[in-house]
Amino acid sequence: MSAVTDAAPRATRPHPLGQSVRDSLVVAKRNLIRMSRIPEMIIFGLFQPIMFVVLFSYVFGGSMNIGGSTDSGVYREFLMAGIFAQTVTFATAGAGAGIAEDMHKGLVDRFRSLPMARGAVLTGRTLADLVQTALTLLVLAIVALLVGWRTHTNVGEVLGAFGLLLLMGYAFTWIGALIGLSVRTPEAATSGGLVWLFPVTFVSNAFVDSSRMTPWLRHIAEWNPFSATVQACRELFGNPGVSNSGAWPMEHPVWASLIYSALIIVIFRTLAVRKYRSATA
């Protein structure tokens, strides 16, 4: 009788992985509901990428030489992969600020006091940010089509490109999570999240042909994880700008993008969860 009684609690104990998934989805739902009640967060988040599309397309388009052509339509197709990638990476700053705000208000401490998976709070937050990023990409793609951007491959390859973009955005969000846990205020998290993003996005092949850079800068740009995703998207979209540079990430951009994103997730998720366990408000 005692053996049966002792076995009953163990039988009803949730599996750690299942509990982690459930807790993460609950936190993600909480953050999505919060975002839906503050629509200006999404609306203002759309302004910057749309502004970049219009400014770069019409202000700089005619002066850019892409593959020997200065046609603005060619540059628009070259540009869009870079704009898409920049949009998903700049969401990192918002993710860091959101986590820093939760820390500042003591919400993370309350979550830590509950019987829930330790990494669920951060995983749920990053999943909610991923959904918001996907919506932003959808709107941005519509705007891009309106200004003349076109794809020249099949639907599967186009969807694969957007999948790589979301994977990179999710990976970079973990960097934002670590920054948000490491600073004292949301304002500091926003500033800290943007400082490193500008060199990552601009020292790349996103807006200009990296082959025209000085040699030392070109090597940095070609091995930049951001550049690998941009190059992979151009290849999958069938857009101009896919060149043979000799650097492995540029020769195998799809694989490079997958590897870079996976490594960033593993490294920074581990560091963020460790920081979350020891952080105090």
Side-chain angles (χ1 to χ4, degrees), residues 190-245:
T190 301
S191 300
L194 290 174
V195 166
W196 65 275
L197 281 174
F198 278 103
V200 167
T201 54
F202 283 95
V203 184
S204 71
N205 60 357
F207 308 111
V208 297
D209 186 353
S210 59
S211 65
R212 298 179 176 274
M213 297 179 180
T214 57
W216 67 271
L217 198 60
R218 184 179 72 246
H219 293 314
I220 295 175
E222 290 174 344
W223 286 89
N224 184 347
F226 182 84
S227 294
T229 300
V230 172
Q231 189 82 340
C233 290
R234 288 189 181 125
E235 185 176 286
L236 293 171
F237 288 147
N239 289 158
V242 180
S243 59
N244 297 320
S245 68

Side-chain angles (χ1 to χ4, degrees), residues 14-218:
H15 190 277
L17 179 60
Q19 180 182 1
S20 179
V21 172
R22 286 193 296 272
D23 292 344
S24 298
L25 292 177
V26 169
V27 175
K29 181 180 179 181
R30 173 256 176 192
N31 282 285
L32 288 173
I33 292 174
R34 177 174 175 270
M35 291 176 185
S36 67
R37 292 175 178 172
I38 314 176
E40 55 267 26
M41 291 175 59
I42 300 176
I43 294 173
F44 289 141
L46 289 171
F47 284 165
Q48 180 178 321
I50 292 175
M51 181 176 63
F52 269 102
V53 170
V54 175
L55 288 177
F56 275 85
S57 297
Y58 294 103
V59 176
F60 301 113
S63 60
M64 295 292 184
N65 189 321
I66 305 298
S69 173
T70 56
D71 182 79
S72 59
V74 173
Y75 182 67
R76 275 195 292 274
E77 292 197 353
F78 170 88
L79 172 70
M80 283 317 304
I83 294 291
F84 289 145
Q86 185 194 49
T87 300
V88 300
T89 54
F90 270 55
T92 301
I99 291 175
E101 183 180 11
D102 288 344
M103 288 282 294
H104 187 67
K105 292 181 177 178
L107 182 63
V108 170
D109 282 340
R110 290 197 290 272
F111 277 133
R112 262 205 300 264
S113 68
L114 297 175
M116 60 189 302
R118 292 186 177 181
V121 174
L122 300 180
T123 302
R125 175 75 204 201
T126 55
L127 287 175
D129 289 327
L130 181 64
V131 173
Q132 182 179 356
T133 300
L135 293 175
T136 303
L137 270 182
L138 176 62
V139 174
L140 189 57
I142 295 173
V143 174
L145 291 171
L146 293 176
V147 300
W149 173 68
R150 296 293 182 270
T151 60
H152 307 283
T153 53
N154 58 52
V155 175
E157 290 177 304
V158 172
L159 292 177
F162 282 111
L164 288 177
L165 288 166
L166 291 175
L167 180 62
M168 184 186 69
Y170 182 69
F172 276 48
T173 299
W174 281 105
I175 302 177
L178 180 60
I179 294 173
L181 291 168
S182 303
V183 298
R184 294 179 180 273
T185 64
E187 293 78 11
T190 301
S191 300
L194 290 174
V195 166
W196 65 275
L197 281 174
F198 278 103
V200 167
T201 54
F202 283 95
V203 184
S204 71
N205 60 357
F207 308 111
V208 297
D209 186 353
S210 59
S211 65
R212 298 179 176 274
M213 297 179 180
T214 57
W216 67 271
L217 198 60
R218 184 179 72 246

